[in-house]
Amino acid sequence: MSATIRWLQARADNVAVALLAAMFIAFILQIFTRYVINDPLGWTLEVCLTTWLWLVFWSSAFVLTERDHVTFDLFYLIASRRTQRVFALISAAAIVAGFLAALPATYDYIAFYKIKKSATLRIRLDVVFSVYGLFAVAVIVRYALRLWQLARGGAPEPHDEATPL
């Protein structure tokens, strides 16, 4: 199972790298056409914005680990192990409940955008914003698994004691 997860993680990393490369190439092309040729391309801005949106949500959902995210853990780190478990259970449950509650409205909002297209490239906006739906489902699954691990006695702390955030 871990070999499959490592392979999927590597493919998620590959997608993030491809998105970053596409954004960088469009950005350099935008600079070149605007300042060297003095004839800017409109579509490069849209590519940069769309790939940035996808990169942020894709990476947050599939590439970054719990340690990579910004956390406010001042009280968490000074609490006892038992209290940390309670904090972790409450926060994981709240995240799952919040994202589950928002999921129907999220789907409706994304589906609504199938009637609109982007200004320059004419990409359907439901495709552009669908990455947020993937992100929301990934967060639900990630924190539901975290909740399950905590309920079964798993370690309450996702980050290293030596490097608190």
Side-chain angles (χ1 to χ4, degrees):
M1 183 68 162
S2 66
T4 303
I5 290 173
R6 281 194 305 271
W7 186 86
L8 289 171
Q9 181 67 45
R11 300 303 68 83
D13 291 346
N14 292 346
V15 170
V17 167
L19 287 167
L20 190 59
M23 184 175 62
F24 180 73
I25 290 167
F27 179 70
I28 294 300
L29 186 59
Q30 183 181 45
I31 290 171
F32 178 77
T33 58
R34 178 172 299 213
Y35 296 109
V36 175
I37 300 175
N38 201 24
D39 187 22
L41 299 171
W43 63 267
T44 55
L45 178 61
E46 196 169 298
V47 168
C48 285
L49 292 172
T50 303
T51 53
W52 177 253
L53 178 77
W54 269 78
L55 182 64
V56 167
F57 285 115
W58 180 269
S59 296
S60 293
F62 302 115
V63 176
L64 299 176
T65 65
E66 183 115 11
R67 287 180 204 166
D68 298 327
H69 290 277
V70 174
T71 59
F72 301 99
D73 54 8
L74 179 69
F75 298 116
Y76 183 83
L77 291 176
I78 62 172
S80 69
R81 201 76 161 153
R82 187 168 189 265
T83 305
Q84 285 181 350
R85 179 178 305 286
V86 171
F87 284 167
L89 279 164
I90 291 169
S91 63
I95 290 169
V96 169
F99 273 89
L100 273 174
L103 202 56
T106 299
Y107 174 77
D108 287 345
Y109 190 75
I110 293 168
F112 167 75
Y113 270 116
K114 71 181 171 192
I115 63 173
K116 291 187 162 206
K117 293 185 178 182
S118 65
T120 308
L121 294 176
R122 311 298 298 155
I123 301 169
R124 282 185 16 200
L125 290 182
D126 63 330
V127 174
V128 172
F129 294 123
S130 65
V131 70
Y132 183 78
L134 288 173
F135 165 76
V137 169
V139 167
I140 291 167
V141 169
R142 176 183 283 184
Y143 281 94
L145 289 172
R146 180 90 176 114
L147 196 57
W148 177 257
Q149 287 173 336
L150 289 164
R152 298 189 69 207
E157 180 146 6
H159 14 290
D160 295 327
E161 296 274 347
T163 57
L165 298 176

